Amino acid sequence: MTSTIMESEARQSPIVIQKQLELNGTIVKEIARKLVFLNPKMVMIIGRGSSDHAGVFAKYLIEIELNIPTCSAAPSVSSIYKKQLKLDSALVIVISQSGRSPDIIEQAKMAKSGGAYCIAIVNDETSPLKDIVDQVLPIRAGKEVSVAATKSYLATLSALVHLIAVWSKNRALYASLKELPTVLQKVTANEIQLLPSDFEHIDNMVVLSRGISFGIAKEIALKLKEVCSIHAEAFSSAEFLHGPITLVEKGLHILNCDVKDECEESHREQINGIIERNGQIVLLDQAGLKTHPRLAPLLILLRFYIDIANVSVALGLNPDAPKGLKKVTQTL
């Protein structure tokens, strides 16, 4: 029995993604045909907060599957510094749940003026972005009441995978994507991995992963801040060795996102090094479920969303309405 809107909405993710895949097929094919014709030389991704973290996932996905250099935009360049970038031969992907943040809108306008082909991945299809970009790829997560995004974030990732799988003609990835809702449903039925006792009396935590799952680690760190009031930061496990690892000896707690992909062996070596320093590890893994390596991070994240909502309640907090946060953030 669910006790929070956050958990309830997270559990809707398999159905949301199933519907999204059914409804977005024609749109994805149209965009993919256009991208094959345009053959963009670079990709820039515009987003804030969770949407920016989805952009990190997209960066790895695009560079791995399409070999196209991909970067994150700095929205202040256009909204505050009023600069125009040269974006001929570029694809710009705008990611936003609401599509209404002023700085995101300004950056999208700048991208179009700079000559980019622009796609908006949005949950609100009536947002002002629809009149700015070349094509809208709907997230189709439906109304999300909890301030902490769950199903909309996972559906953003699935929309990105759908587009990249078709654009790159990766049949294996596309076939696995079609099976993703079934696998995610199994995640919702799996045993709890994160317990309240794992987070009691913790003020600081580091979330570690590597490769394509780094965007998920960043999202997890954000949620730990939002719904558990824990100061958390995400690192690539490789980057963590370059200085921050010294904090382990002061009792720093680690949340280990153990994803089965090409980075698995290297990541585990680094985690073993932390254990040798008496690091305190909380494990979050796929619980034996198998999927395509590019989709594995989504399994980890859904389990996290479900578990952390209950951890938040156990800590005496309200994950549905964290203090000081609003669903739509208005930044310039």
Side-chain angles (χ1 to χ4, degrees), residues 2 5 52 110 149 198 203 210 212 225 236 238 245 297 330 332:
T2 60
I5 299 171
D52 183 54
M110 182 278 293
D198 294 325
D203 296 319
R210 188 168 184 182
I212 197 168
K225 295 185 186 86
S236 160
I245 195 170
Q330 300 286 341
L332 299 176

Side-chain angles (χ1 to χ4, degrees), residues 45 52-66 153 157-158 160-162 164-165 170 173 208-220 234-238 257-264 267 286 291-301:
I45 299 172
D52 183 54
H53 302 160
V56 174
F57 176 85
K59 171 183 170 63
Y60 279 94
L61 186 63
I62 293 168
E63 292 187 349
I64 292 169
E65 301 299 331
L66 289 156
Y153 184 82
L157 302 189
S158 63
L160 284 163
V161 175
H162 193 176
I164 303 311
N170 188 326
L173 178 55
L208 291 183
S209 66
R210 188 168 184 182
I212 197 168
S213 61
F214 181 50
I216 279 68
K218 290 175 73 68
E219 173 65 7
I220 287 173
F235 286 91
S236 160
S237 53
C257 298
D258 190 15
V259 175
K260 291 188 177 301
D261 70 355
E262 295 91 330
C263 292
E264 180 183 13
H267 175 71
Q286 295 172 219
T291 187
H292 193 286
R294 307 296 169 256
L295 298 172
L298 280 72
L299 278 57
I300 296 279
L301 188 58

Side-chain angles (χ1 to χ4, degrees), residues 5-14 144 150-151 154 188 301-302 305-306:
I5 299 171
M6 179 183 178
E7 181 185 351
S8 177
E9 290 179 338
R11 288 183 178 276
Q12 294 168 21
S13 299
E144 195 168 48
T150 55
K151 62 178 180 176
L154 284 164
T188 67
L301 188 58
L302 178 54
Y305 282 150
I306 293 170

Side-chain angles (χ1 to χ4, degrees), residues 61-83:
L61 186 63
I62 293 168
E63 292 187 349
I64 292 169
E65 301 299 331
L66 289 156
N67 309 316
I68 302 174
T70 303
C71 66
S72 295
S76 297
V77 169
S78 59
S79 64
I80 301 296
Y81 293 98
K82 308 298 181 185
K83 298 299 181 181

Side-chain angles (χ1 to χ4, degrees), residues 63-205:
E63 292 187 349
I64 292 169
E65 301 299 331
L66 289 156
N67 309 316
I68 302 174
T70 303
C71 66
S72 295
S76 297
V77 169
S78 59
S79 64
I80 301 296
Y81 293 98
K82 308 298 181 185
K83 298 299 181 181
Q84 174 64 63
L85 299 183
K86 300 173 183 178
L87 294 169
D88 294 326
S89 301
L91 164 65
V92 169
I93 302 175
V94 186
I95 304 175
S96 176
Q97 292 177 52
S98 70
R100 297 181 184 279
S101 185
D103 56 347
I104 299 301
I105 291 172
E106 284 302 309
Q107 189 81 348
K109 290 178 179 177
M110 182 278 293
K112 276 299 298 174
S113 297
Y117 176 68
C118 297
I119 300 168
I121 299 180
V122 294
N123 200 33
D124 183 355
E125 296 174 58
T126 69
S127 78
L129 282 175
K130 74 179 189 306
D131 299 318
I132 300 171
V133 301
D134 295 287
Q135 184 63 273
V136 171
L137 181 58
I139 294 172
R140 302 191 192 275
K143 185 176 182 180
E144 195 168 48
V145 177
S146 176
V147 171
T150 55
K151 62 178 180 176
S152 63
Y153 184 82
L154 284 164
T156 299
L157 302 189
S158 63
L160 284 163
V161 175
H162 193 176
L163 176 60
I164 303 311
V166 175
W167 180 11
S168 65
K169 298 181 176 62
N170 188 326
R171 294 181 179 179
L173 178 55
Y174 181 74
S176 294
L177 179 63
K178 298 289 280 186
E179 297 298 320
L180 178 63
T182 300
V183 182
L184 288 176
Q185 197 63 56
K186 292 178 181 178
V187 171
T188 67
N190 270 358
E191 293 184 1
I192 294 170
Q193 290 196 33
L194 304 179
L195 301 171
S197 57
D198 294 325
F199 299 90
E200 287 177 346
H201 312 300
I202 292 179
D203 296 319
N204 301 286
M205 179 169 267

